[in-house]
Amino acid sequence: MPDKIRVLIVDDIPETRDHLSKLLGFEADIEVVGAAASGREAIDTARSMKPDIVLMDINMPDMDGITATEQMAAEVPTAAVVMMSVQGEADYLRRSMLAGAREFLVKPFSSDELTLSIRHVYTREREKLSRMAVQPVAGAPAAAPAGHSTREGQEPGRVVAVFGPKGGVGRTTLAVNLAVAAATELGQRTCLVDASFQFGDVGVLLNLNPKNKSIADVIPELESGELESLDTFVINHSSGIRVLLAPPSPEMAELITPVGAKAMIEGLRLENDLVVVDCMASFNDTTLAILDQADVVLTMLSLEITSIKNIRLFLEVAEQLGYPSDKIRLVLNRADSSLGIRVADVEHSIGRRVDHTIVSDGRSVVYALNRGVPFFLSNREAQVSQDVLRLASAVVGTKAAVADEPAKKAGQKKSLFAWR
Ligand SMILES: Nc1ncnc2c1ncn2[C@@H]1O[C@H](COP(=O)(O)OP(=O)(O)OP(=O)(O)O)[C@@H](O)[C@H]1O
Ligand SMILES: [Mg+2]
């Protein structure tokens, strides 16, 4: 019989602890190894009982669940926290994830949801540990060690993360074409990274196969901080850009930790003038590590209410994280689509100006996508290519006048909604 999943229950309400304990008691593969009524007690119990999973309530006297999760990550790193909270606490979700929680259960949840979450997190953690040849080292060096192949005598390059808190807003499209524009028109030695580790699309847009070479080949070295150079794992694309692809299969994404992602970015920074990172939409700790490292976060949105809502939440998180306001640049994709929401409405809703706009051009974009050739190469004169080049110039810092352009184009020059 395989090992049972060892669970610690943390909740200040005795009835809840009992209830959870009874529910889990019916599961043959789960064993409740302890219960704690506060964050502090949870850490003490976890230290001695070494649970695999900690079911953690958020609101508790003395030490709340988020603080306890942070401490747990430092003191009992093998215990994976599943956070439990009542509905309407969206802010808690973000803070829990930042603290290191692996999953978030909204109360009331069914016993199926509970056991599924526990098993899912447990399997993921086990896979992570068993697949990793070398355990992650907390605080491993951010930059690659001496001997790393740097560009002789040059400053480390700029890192531009292309992010969007909602999927399907055009991150990959922008990241690929921005990288190509910077390399071909602005003479930048550019590396494009597919950090959409689970379902990366960069390979599709560039007609490259991750089976040949990808970040999956270098994970142990990234995790241990023993990386010599990333050059061997980077593919030279015919457009002139260099590409580090996402792993060939989704489950390998779990193996890339914040420490590994940070080492990856710092290594690439030394070998390139510009590193463009196509980030995933989910706001997990690995994405956060990349955003932390980035000099500029191009945050993409579209004229859809869900996209706008998520941007507002992301801007709040960015503020909490202490990012300077000019690190985040808002890029409105398909800005000219008339979908019932105007740019002014967006700016009003999020309380700041959109910094860059990109026109909608389904013909060029989708045709390019299906051929595996970036539209910046196949349709260089199109407005969408011009917009991407303008954006590339702005992030590389070659043309100072660029930043005003989108506002003029969208007729928002006199916008009342100045930057916060
Ligand atoms: N400016 C544009 N004009 C027309 N179509 C666009 C534009 N930008 C992106 N698209 C289309 O929108 C779709 C989503 O784009 P893309 O895959 O780049 O988004 P994403 O944010 O990377 O999505 P995912 O969440 O899947 O990673 C694609 O079909 C793409 O061709
Ligand atoms: Mg994508």
Side-chain angles (χ1 to χ4, degrees):
M1 166 123 186
D3 288 346
K4 289 191 176 190
I5 308 175
R6 298 164 56 78
V7 177
L8 169 66
I9 297 168
V10 187
D11 201 303
D12 57 323
I13 302 172
E15 293 77 31
T16 310
R17 292 197 300 272
D18 281 354
H19 178 62
L20 289 172
S21 208
K22 279 191 193 118
L23 275 183
L24 295 177
F26 293 115
E27 307 299 323
D29 57 338
I30 295 176
E31 182 187 358
V32 176
V33 294
S38 72
R40 209 171 299 285
E41 199 188 327
I43 291 168
D44 290 342
T45 316
R47 260 201 229 108
S48 56
M49 298 308 294
K50 298 269 180 286
D52 300 307
I53 303 286
V54 180
L55 281 179
M56 180 87 80
D57 184 32
I58 285 198
N59 289 315
M60 289 181 296
D62 90 337
M63 186 192 288
D64 66 68
I66 292 175
T67 315
T69 300
E70 259 167 10
Q71 292 201 11
M72 192 78 76
E75 295 189 34
V76 196
T78 48
V81 173
V82 173
M83 201 63 104
M84 306 178 290
S85 181
V86 288
Q87 252 158 357
E89 294 175 321
D91 184 48
Y92 283 156
L93 168 62
R94 292 196 301 279
R95 287 175 48 214
S96 307
M97 289 193 321
L98 295 179
R102 304 291 201 281
E103 189 98 42
F104 198 92
L105 278 171
V106 178
K107 288 179 186 173
F109 42 78
S110 68
S111 80
D112 277 354
E113 282 172 309
L114 173 66
T115 51
L116 264 177
S117 285
I118 291 175
R119 291 191 185 106
H120 181 62
V121 171
Y122 176 74
T123 312
R124 245 172 28 195
E125 293 299 303
R126 283 291 281 253
E127 277 175 8
K128 198 191 280 184
L129 289 175
S130 67
R131 274 172 187 260
M132 249 183 325
V134 186
Q135 294 280 318
V137 181
H148 199 98
S149 82
T150 52
R151 294 157 302 132
E152 281 301 307
Q154 296 207 35
E155 292 280 301
R158 261 175 108 66
V159 175
V160 175
V162 182
F163 178 72
K166 180 168 188 302
V169 284
R171 292 184 315 268
T172 308
T173 305
L174 177 65
V176 165
N177 288 280
L178 182 80
V180 172
T184 57
E185 296 282 329
L186 307 174
Q188 299 280 300
R189 181 177 159 91
T190 303
C191 184
L192 171 65
V193 184
D194 194 348
S196 229
F197 295 126
Q198 250 184 334
F199 297 107
D201 291 331
V202 167
V204 179
L205 266 72
L206 292 172
N207 216 356
L208 297 171
N209 186 350
K211 289 228 166 75
N212 301 333
K213 263 186 204 179
S214 81
I215 188 175
D217 305 319
V218 72
I219 291 169
E221 289 85 350
L222 283 175
E223 296 299 331
S224 65
E226 285 165 3
L227 180 70
E228 281 290 317
S229 166
L230 276 159
D231 257 352
T232 344
F233 306 97
V234 162
I235 302 173
N236 289 310
H237 185 254
S238 55
S239 62
I241 61 170
R242 313 167 76 246
V243 187
L244 183 58
L245 288 178
S249 54
E251 76 278 5
M252 301 181 90
E254 284 295 326
L255 306 180
I256 304 164
T257 66
V259 170
K262 192 172 169 199
M264 169 187 82
I265 298 290
E266 289 311 309
L268 289 172
R269 196 198 276 284
L270 296 178
E271 294 171 344
N272 298 279
D273 301 324
L274 181 68
V275 181
V276 178
V277 191
D278 179 14
C279 297
M280 52 190 138
S282 68
F283 200 47
N284 59 21
D285 49 357
T286 307
T287 304
L288 251 185
I290 295 171
L291 299 185
D292 280 350
Q293 294 305 106
D295 299 296
V296 175
V297 178
L298 294 179
T299 308
M300 295 201 77
L301 68 153
S302 58
L303 290 172
E304 285 167 54
I305 205 78
T306 42
S307 162
I308 296 160
K309 179 208 79 181
N310 289 6
I311 287 286
R312 216 168 34 209
L313 294 174
F314 172 65
L315 290 175
E316 278 172 33
V317 176
E319 202 177 313
Q320 281 168 19
L321 293 172
Y323 291 172
S325 68
D326 58 352
K327 173 166 170 168
I328 309 281
R329 301 212 192 149
L330 295 185
V331 181
L332 178 60
N333 195 18
R334 315 188 76 166
D336 52 335
S337 339
S338 44
L339 301 166
I341 303 177
R342 294 168 310 141
V343 183
D345 301 329
V346 176
E347 293 182 328
H348 180 57
S349 164
I350 59 182
R352 65 174 272 182
R353 290 262 299 272
V354 164
D355 301 282
H356 307 276
T357 55
I358 296 174
V359 293
S360 183
D361 183 353
R363 246 181 104 84
S364 306
V365 175
V366 179
Y367 181 66
L369 174 99
N370 291 340
R371 281 175 64 210
V373 177
F375 62 75
F376 194 84
L377 293 179
S378 60
N379 205 351
R380 173 71 187 76
E381 299 312 316
Q383 182 62 48
V384 67
S385 298
Q386 303 290 322
D387 288 349
V388 168
L389 179 59
R390 194 177 296 110
L391 179 47
S393 306
V395 292
V396 169
T398 50
K399 287 182 202 158
V402 167
D404 259 0
E405 200 63 25
K408 268 188 235 153
K409 234 172 47 184
Q412 295 304 313
K413 196 77 179 125
K414 292 189 187 129
S415 170
L416 295 174
F417 311 110
W419 293 52
R420 261 188 185 158

